[in-house]
Structure formats: C-alpha cells, structure tokens
Amino acid sequence: MAHRFLLRRIWTFSVKDVRCLPSSTATVSCSSFSTSLHSAPIRVSFLAQSRSLAVSHPPRRAVSFNVQDQEDFTERVINSDLPVLIDFHAQWCGPCKILGPRLEKAVAKQKGRVAMAKVDIDDHTDLAIEYGVSAVPTVIAMRGGDIIDRFVGIKDDDQLDSFVSKVIGQ
Amino acid sequence: MPPIENDTGKNELKTQIQKLIEDNQVVVFSKSYCPYCVQVKDLFKELNIKCNVMELDLIENGTSYQEMLLEITGQKTVPQVFVNKTHVGGCDKTMQAHKDGSLQQLLSGENEAYDYDLIVIGGGSGGLACSKEAALLGKKVMVLDYVVPTPKGTSWGLGGTCVNVGCIPKKLMHQTALLATAIQDARKFGWEFDESVKHNWETMKTAVNNYIGSLNWGYRVSLRDKNVNYVNAYAEFVEPHKIKTTNKRGKETFYTAAKFVLATGERPRYLGIPGDKEHCITSDDLFSLPYCPGKTLVIGASYVALECGGFLTSLGLDVTIMVRSILLRGFDQDMANRAGEYMEKHGVKFIRKFVPIKIEQLEAGSPGRLKVTAKSTETDELIEDEYNTVLIAVGRNACTDKIGLEKAGVKVNPKNGKIPVNDEEQTNVPHIYAIGDILEGKWELTPVAIQAGKLLARRLYGGSRVKCDYVNVPTTVFTPLEYGACGLSEEKAIELYGQDNIEVYHSLFWPLEFTVPNRDNNQCYAKIICNKLDNDRVIGFHYLGPNAGEVTQGFGVAMKCGATKEQFDVTIGIHPTCAEIFTDLEVSKRSGGDITKSGC
C-alpha cells in the first residue's frame, strides 16, 4: 500500500511537467457518421513539438507495438504480465492520429509499467467487433485478460496521464 | 406425484388427443362461446386452411380434454392450436406466429433444421437493409459480402457500390467540381485572393476514402449490434437451400437457410476489345485512383460516364467523352441533350458516333500514356488519339452468372443476366428472393434497393403486406448542371398516352446566384408533363439546374400524392429560388411560346 502511495506521489510530480493543452470536454471520435476534427491543426503542431522532445530520450524498449493477428493479441495482450492499453484506431480516423501519439507519450512516462498495443480495426476487424468497438479511437485497458477500463474519443495529456495512472494503480 | 386414478381411461384420452394432433394439419381445441377461439378459427378460414375444431363445451368429456391438454402442453386455457404436430399456443401466440411468418412456415411443413432463417447474398444497400430488418424481427440472419477485385486490383469494404464506388464518392467529387465554379464566381461577389487556385487529387481522394472507411466500419458495427452474422466470403449455391462460401484464404464453408435473398448488384461492363481490361479503368477504380488521371477519355454516355467526365473536367483536366449513339439512354432525351450541351459549353469534348476498337499502352506510369483507336459507327473512318487515362462507362452487368443460380433453379434472363421477380421480389424459386440492381426491369437505385429489402423482410417475417412501389421514383444525375427527374420521360409519356393526350409545360430559368457572375443564362430548364385525360395530373417532372436532388425530392412526394397541374399552379413559390419555377409554368411546348425568363 505504501509502495503504491509513493508511486502516486511521483506521478503527481510528473503530471505537473506536462504541458497543459487546452482541455476539451467534448468527445472527439469517429463514429460512422462523424469525423469532426475542430481544432486539429493547432493541436497537431503542439504535439509535434512535445513529441520531438520525447523522441530525444527514446526508451530502450518500444513504447507500443502493432498487433499482428489474433494469436499475437492473445500472447502479447491477454497473457501479458503488465497491464496493457489497447488503442483501437483506423487510418481514416483523424482523431486517432492525435490520440495515438499522446497515448504513447503517456505510456512512455510510465517507464515500462504499462504496455500499449495498437489495433487497426480494418486489419483486425474481428478483434474490434469482439471487443465492442463502435467508434474510434477506443482505448481499452486490460490486465490479466480482463477489461478494467475503457474510453472513446480524444483526451488531453492530463486526462491520459490520470487514466494510465489509474490503470496501473488498480 | 400426481394422483393416479383411472389410469387406463386417462391414457386412452391421451392417445385420442395425440392421434387428433398427428392426423390433422391444424387442430384447434376451442369453446364455442369464446371470442378468442372465434378469432383463431376466423384466421384459418381467412387463410383458407382446413382446421379440425374440437368445441370442448359441446362434447361430453370436454373437461377431461382440457385437463389432459394442460398435462400435455402446460396450457390450461383455450384456444389451443396445433399446426403440423407443433403446439403453437393460444390466440395471441397464433396471431403473432401469423404476423412473423412462422405460422406459414409451420403450415408449409418447412420446419426442417436449417442453419439460418435467412441468408442474404450481397452486403450492399439492399442486402444490408434486408438483413438488418429480418434480424430485428427476430430471425437468425447471415449476410455475405465479397468484393472481387477489378482487373487493376482495386477492392473495397462493406457496403456495396453506392457507398464505395458509386453515389458517395461520386457526389463528393461532384461537390469538388462545384467548388471550382464557386471559386470563380467568388471574385465577382467581391472576394479577393491572390494565390493561383490548384487542385490536389490525392488530398481529395484521401479525404473521400477516409469518409468511406468510416462508413464501412459503421455498417460492420450496425450488423454486430443488430445480431446479423456477417461473413466476408464469396457465396454460391450448391443446392436450393445450401450455399458454399469461399473466403479470402480460399477456405470453404457450407451453410443452409430456409430462405435466401439475392442482392449481388452489378459491376462495370468492359468493351471486349484488345487492351480494355489491361489498360483501362472503370468507376470501380476511379474513386480511389492514387494519382490524378490526367488527360482522360471517357467511353460511354451512361450517367456514370457523364458524371465522371463532368467532374474531371471541372478539376481542370482535358476530358473527352466518346459516345456511340445517344446520351443517357432511358432518360428524357430533351433533358439529356440539354445536360450534354451544358457540359460541352463548359469544356467537355464529345466525340460522337465512334466506338473504340483498340487500346494500346505507349508508356507505363501514374498515369501512363495510352493510344486509343476508334471507328466510326457510320463509315470506315478510324481515329487515333493519346490519353493518360481511359475510363470505360458503358453500362453494368448483373453479378448473377457465378453464384450457382442454376443449381438452385433460379431463372435468369440470359440476355442481360437480370433476374425476373414478381411484385413481391420473389424469383421463380419460391424460397429465393432478389432485390436491387439485379432485378429485371426495375430501377438501379440505392434507395429503391433499401426500400425493397426492408419491405421484403417485413413481409417475410413481420406479417406486413406492403410491397415496394417502383412507380414515380425520383432520381438525379449529378452532371455539372444537375438533372433531376421523377415519373415519365416525354418519350415514354407520348408512347403511353399519345401526343394529343399530354400537355408539356416548360420554361428556361436563370438562378439568381448565376446573375451576379453573369454566367449560364438560359441554360437551366424546367419541364412537367401532364396527362390531359386525367385532370392534368403531373406524370413527368424534369429539372435541369443547381441542387436538382434537393428540388426533385419534394416534388417526388407531390407526385406520389398524385398532384395535378392546377395544384402546382396554386402552390406559392419561395422567392428567390430555382424550384419556384414549377409553380409558374405557363408556356406549353405545343404553343411554341417564349420560355426565356428575366427578373422577378
């Protein structure tokens, strides 16, 4: 318990370092009929900066991996010792292109305490259908093969940090 | 333990009842005064089904019957209905079974165990609508969809032609073209901009295809949510109730169903000349073409040809359309020619009365260079020219030849591959139905297929009797100047009613939005055809102008209501609009009066 408490305090510090993006309360996601992306260009330019910072200190192991097939999913996601964030995304989805790098950054901050799996819903439709994905991006948090949390749409860096923290903390 | 008394008598009664149930198609245990029993008996009378009725209040040992029935079925009340040895239940259950079609199924003895109640072959607009509606009505439904790649290797996702390689990308690219005109007009309205305006094909293609990607996904999700089993595999009949499916990896699986709906749609036809499949593209390839097509030859004068030729021209490309005979066969020719004239005025080149005989590649590339040789339809004259892209749009073939229809016994018109159906979309094989573009003599329009599919499912499983109405279907061709129509063409009206019995009212008009940029005066045109024998009822509606789809849709409702010329006249127009012209059509074609318009 004390251990957890300590960890939590560390996160609190790290969260403060993160640039505060204008927080959006509205959910931006791609369902079948909306691909709204209002202030996208501005956000992308912000991100591009912060991403280049992150890239200058690359972690040893890759932060995320692309799921290859059902078998790969079972092995690296369901049977994973670490909690895993599954990022269901699509090439045609604008918001996914914003969320993906943000999520990657949030995961990288945890220095290997959480893994991130990327699933292209058009390449692995069965997986997305099985996990009830209706709109993208959908992020599912899994631990020991059980779904422990999920969200749909865009979140800012702070929201992602707290989501990831919660997943590890559980 | 139930009390065992008079065991022999009980067993005898049981055997008696069971014999009744086994020997008769329909048995109704009833009481003569019971209104619910009357309702059930009336239903079978209405269905013209002979039923064996036991009026328990009129026979001696009626009470014992009722007690035994309770033991057999667990139901105490009457009526109790048995059909082909199956206990249907009481009045409500029987009515429900009649409504959802299961009673008919029981009556016809069709209660063999099939994998599915319904298998729909084809995941286009019609197939999806039908399968979802059937699943909604509680049936076990499978839908199969498989896109055979084009000779160029183009393929796409779930949703059929309209979504992937038809209406949706077409209209978005038409919109791209309209924006070009808007940019030109903008300066006249005071907008000042310095940069030269260019169009980026790849940006447009990616944006359009991203939207299509989201639609494909949306369809997939809605099938999951409605409990339709979707399989991405090619289906063909091996027996009347059995299909073989082959997926991308070549894996074969067999499925059976009580009923089938064919909704396989059509694919572009090729010319059958040297080089066509090797070097040419069709509309199946155009909308996802990774590069700008460059100087383009469009072969054909179908609406696909004119729409594609139209928007490519507006993107600034050098476009030629090669026409064998007439534009827009089947549409009102007066309107078709006006739409064509507008295109010609706006930079589309037409080569008329020529057909291509050979396509040769001069240089590969994106795009490459092709040499097209064409022959006159009237003389021996040959012409040659070079193009970057050749788009074939000479019509479409029904996908009915490679799905094993002969094994199911389904009749197909050998001339065009179309499937004849009755007014309930039923083929000659009673358990096989067909909807959409593959139907003989019906509209090839997405909304028609959707309507037909939905209504078919409701008739099969929802007790509905509503049939799809193929009359007065409004439609629009998205040529640069759009053409909307509903009802009969002038030619067809004359053929049906005779020249003397119809009156055609028409007018040119100049949209207000065109006046400031001072363009296209007296190009837009409105025409209605009225039946003089029937109160001047409007039997044909034709509009050539901006937003034709939006204009035509509402008048489609009016025509469904049987609107007359007088009703058009007493309707107040909305000023200033294009559609208001229809409330003020005074000049008949017969009179030869002036139809040019100016001012309010």
Side-chain angles (χ1 to χ4, degrees):
Chain A
M1 207 46 217
H3 177 62
R4 271 193 187 172
F5 194 67
L6 181 67
L7 279 178
R8 208 165 264 159
R9 284 183 60 186
I10 295 168
W11 296 326
T12 320
F13 283 120
S14 62
V15 165
K16 277 184 187 161
D17 291 339
V18 179
R19 182 198 315 277
C20 270
L21 287 170
S23 74
S24 84
T25 44
T27 300
V28 183
S29 69
C30 292
S31 62
S32 52
F33 303 109
S34 84
T35 51
S36 55
L37 235 184
H38 303 295
S39 54
I42 307 163
R43 291 192 182 172
V44 170
S45 64
F46 268 125
L47 265 172
Q49 283 177 13
S50 50
R51 216 185 333 170
S52 64
L53 283 176
V55 170
S56 63
H57 308 286
R60 277 244 165 254
R61 71 190 91 64
V63 172
S64 63
F65 58 89
N66 289 310
V67 170
Q68 301 303 314
D69 51 32
Q70 188 91 35
E71 214 172 278
D72 186 43
F73 185 83
T74 307
E75 192 183 309
R76 289 208 278 179
V77 179
I78 295 176
N79 296 339
S80 168
D81 295 332
L82 288 174
V84 187
L85 297 178
I86 312 156
D87 176 19
F88 288 96
H89 66 95
Q91 273 180 8
W92 42 262
C93 154
C96 297
K97 296 195 170 75
I98 297 168
L99 183 80
R102 272 189 206 168
L103 192 62
E104 224 153 29
K105 201 169 64 175
V107 168
K109 272 191 240 161
Q110 299 300 338
K111 297 191 169 61
R113 281 179 296 235
V114 60
M116 176 172 162
K118 291 192 278 193
V119 177
D120 184 315
I121 59 165
D122 292 315
D123 294 342
H124 309 292
T125 305
D126 291 348
L127 273 176
I129 288 293
E130 187 185 333
Y131 282 92
V133 176
S134 292
V136 277
T138 287
V139 174
I140 290 180
M142 192 176 269
R143 180 202 285 271
D146 296 324
I147 296 171
I148 53 176
D149 207 350
R150 67 190 293 154
F151 71 85
V152 180
I154 285 247
K155 283 188 185 296
D156 65 28
D157 286 343
D158 287 352
Q159 291 169 320
L160 285 178
D161 283 334
S162 73
F163 181 84
V164 174
S165 304
K166 213 174 118 213
V167 166
I168 298 171
Q170 268 171 357
Chain B
M1 285 287 272
I4 307 164
E5 45 178 56
N6 196 5
D7 220 13
T8 335
K10 255 184 135 177
N11 277 341
E12 243 169 57
L13 185 64
K14 192 170 183 177
T15 318
Q16 215 175 328
I17 290 178
Q18 272 165 348
K19 196 167 156 36
L20 257 173
I21 293 169
E22 265 165 44
D23 291 352
N24 295 284
Q25 190 191 14
V26 178
V27 186
V28 178
F29 295 94
S30 160
K31 285 183 181 170
S32 58
Y33 54 81
C34 156
Y36 299 107
C37 300
V38 173
Q39 209 178 326
V40 165
K41 286 179 280 186
D42 283 351
L43 171 69
F44 287 108
K45 212 177 287 168
E46 193 188 316
L47 293 172
N48 211 6
I49 303 274
K50 187 180 161 275
C51 66
N52 200 309
V53 182
M54 298 286 292
E55 301 288 7
L56 300 185
D57 60 325
L58 301 181
I59 56 173
E60 206 180 309
N61 52 348
T63 329
S64 316
Y65 265 83
Q66 201 165 354
E67 276 165 16
M68 183 49 73
L69 279 169
L70 171 65
E71 207 177 304
I72 298 172
T73 66
Q75 182 190 327
K76 196 178 173 188
T77 54
V78 287
Q80 292 213 32
V81 180
F82 291 84
V83 175
N84 279 329
K85 304 178 202 66
T86 307
H87 180 241
V88 180
C91 178
D92 285 352
K93 287 251 175 76
T94 308
M95 291 301 161
Q96 175 59 33
H98 173 55
K99 218 177 139 190
D100 70 19
S102 57
L103 184 68
Q104 286 76 351
Q105 209 171 326
L106 274 175
L107 283 167
S108 62
E110 262 182 47
N111 43 358
E112 282 177 61
Y114 293 117
D115 300 336
Y116 288 91
D117 294 315
L118 175 68
I119 289 182
V120 178
I121 304 176
S125 310
L128 291 177
C130 184
S131 59
K132 286 192 273 192
E133 193 69 18
L136 215 62
L137 292 164
K139 295 295 143 184
K140 192 177 173 201
V141 185
M142 166 181 266
V143 62
L144 293 137
D145 189 52
Y146 189 85
V147 178
V148 178
T150 70
K152 288 277 179 192
T154 312
S155 188
W156 51 88
L158 177 61
T161 297
C162 177
V163 173
N164 294 285
V165 288
C167 347
I168 299 294
K170 171 270 293 290
K171 180 102 190 270
L172 290 172
M173 292 193 182
H174 173 63
Q175 171 65 9
T176 311
L178 292 181
L179 288 172
T181 312
I183 291 168
Q184 284 165 9
D185 285 359
R187 290 187 195 273
K188 297 279 179 57
F189 283 94
W191 291 101
E192 293 172 4
F193 40 93
D194 302 327
E195 327 86 273
S196 66
V197 177
K198 285 181 296 183
H199 183 259
N200 185 320
W201 174 274
E202 213 209 314
T203 306
M204 172 186 71
K205 185 219 79 176
T206 306
V208 167
N209 285 280
N210 281 352
Y211 178 62
I212 292 171
S214 78
L215 291 179
N216 296 144
W217 178 250
Y219 282 126
R220 186 67 192 84
V221 168
S222 75
L223 288 178
R224 174 191 65 192
D225 295 348
K226 298 208 163 65
N227 282 321
V228 175
N229 191 12
Y230 165 71
V231 174
N232 183 205
Y234 191 90
E236 54 198 307
F237 280 94
V238 287
E239 287 169 28
H241 281 279
K242 190 176 193 178
I243 54 164
K244 179 179 92 177
T245 70
T246 313
N247 75 5
K248 242 180 263 173
R249 289 185 213 93
K251 189 179 167 236
E252 293 181 356
T253 316
F254 293 85
Y255 299 100
T256 59
K259 289 187 169 69
F260 290 86
V261 170
L262 309 173
T264 48
E266 297 186 307
R267 293 291 292 271
R269 187 179 302 150
Y270 282 82
L271 294 160
I273 59 167
D276 64 345
K277 286 196 176 168
E278 295 87 340
H279 308 308
C280 300
I281 63 167
T282 68
S283 55
D284 280 358
D285 304 292
L286 179 67
F287 301 116
S288 58
L289 203 65
Y291 52 85
C292 178
K295 184 184 176 190
T296 302
L297 174 70
V298 178
I299 299 167
S302 62
Y303 79 85
V304 179
L306 298 192
E307 287 177 343
C308 293
F311 73 68
L312 291 176
T313 305
S314 298
L315 299 186
L317 304 183
D318 178 346
V319 177
T320 305
I321 301 182
M322 187 177 284
V323 181
R324 185 184 57 187
S325 56
I326 60 167
L327 304 182
L328 298 177
R329 188 177 303 280
F331 288 90
D332 187 291
Q333 283 302 296
D334 172 23
M335 302 304 292
N337 290 328
R338 286 172 187 273
E341 276 164 33
Y342 180 92
M343 289 176 73
E344 212 155 1
K345 279 202 183 103
H346 286 262
V348 183
K349 286 176 269 185
F350 281 91
I351 299 176
R352 289 177 189 263
K353 297 189 173 164
F354 269 89
V355 288
I357 53 167
K358 189 169 59 172
I359 319 283
E360 295 160 287
Q361 188 176 56
L362 300 174
E363 191 186 318
S366 313
R369 278 196 308 130
L370 301 170
K371 188 172 94 176
V372 178
T373 310
K375 186 175 173 298
S376 164
T377 57
E378 290 171 332
T379 67
D380 284 339
E381 191 191 346
L382 289 181
I383 52 169
E384 280 181 8
D385 209 345
E386 281 183 26
Y387 301 91
N388 296 116
T389 298
V390 176
L391 174 78
I392 303 175
V394 293
R396 300 170 65 82
N397 289 337
C399 303
T400 52
D401 54 338
K402 294 186 188 84
I403 53 171
L405 289 182
E406 66 290 347
K407 296 210 172 111
V410 176
K411 265 193 206 136
V412 175
N413 181 339
K415 279 189 197 144
N416 55 15
K418 297 258 185 174
I419 299 179
V421 292
N422 63 16
D423 64 349
E424 300 203 306
E425 285 87 29
Q426 191 173 34
T427 69
N428 64 306
V429 180
H431 73 276
I432 301 178
Y433 298 78
I435 53 171
D437 293 0
I438 57 173
L439 297 191
E440 168 109 56
K442 300 286 200 301
W443 294 93
E444 294 173 17
L445 296 167
T446 272
V448 174
I450 292 173
Q451 180 86 333
K454 211 183 264 182
L455 294 179
L456 172 60
R458 286 182 194 164
R459 285 197 308 275
L460 291 178
Y461 306 116
S464 161
R465 285 183 186 172
V466 182
K467 293 172 193 170
C468 184
D469 185 353
Y470 293 92
V471 177
N472 279 342
V473 172
T475 184
T476 289
V477 181
F478 291 95
T479 32
L481 194 58
E482 300 165 7
Y483 165 37
C486 184
L488 303 177
S489 65
E490 206 175 322
E491 293 85 354
K492 191 79 192 169
I494 292 170
E495 184 194 319
L496 287 176
Y497 299 102
Q499 181 89 59
D500 294 341
N501 295 321
I502 61 162
E503 196 71 78
V504 178
Y505 296 90
H506 66 161
S507 180
L508 290 163
F509 63 98
W510 198 18
L512 181 66
E513 295 78 5
F514 290 10
T515 58
V516 167
N518 196 24
R519 64 172 168 92
D520 302 321
N521 194 0
N522 287 325
Q523 298 282 301
C524 298
Y525 180 70
K527 170 167 97 175
I528 58 172
I529 300 155
C530 304
N531 181 1
K532 284 158 77 178
L533 301 175
D534 183 19
N535 213 12
D536 265 344
R537 201 170 305 285
V538 180
I539 52 172
F541 172 96
H542 302 272
Y543 169 94
L544 186 71
N547 306 304
E550 314 298 340
V551 170
T552 309
Q553 182 71 81
F555 284 102
V557 178
M559 288 178 67
K560 269 270 162 254
C561 300
T564 61
K565 175 70 167 71
E566 193 196 344
Q567 287 164 329
F568 270 53
D569 291 341
V570 298
T571 302
I572 308 252
I574 301 170
H575 194 62
T577 62
C578 294
E580 68 177 321
I581 190 79
F582 286 101
T583 65
D584 190 29
L585 287 173
E586 284 165 354
V587 182
S588 72
K589 213 171 184 179
R590 207 189 303 275
S591 74
D594 180 28
I595 55 166
T596 52
K597 276 265 166 191
S598 55
C600 291

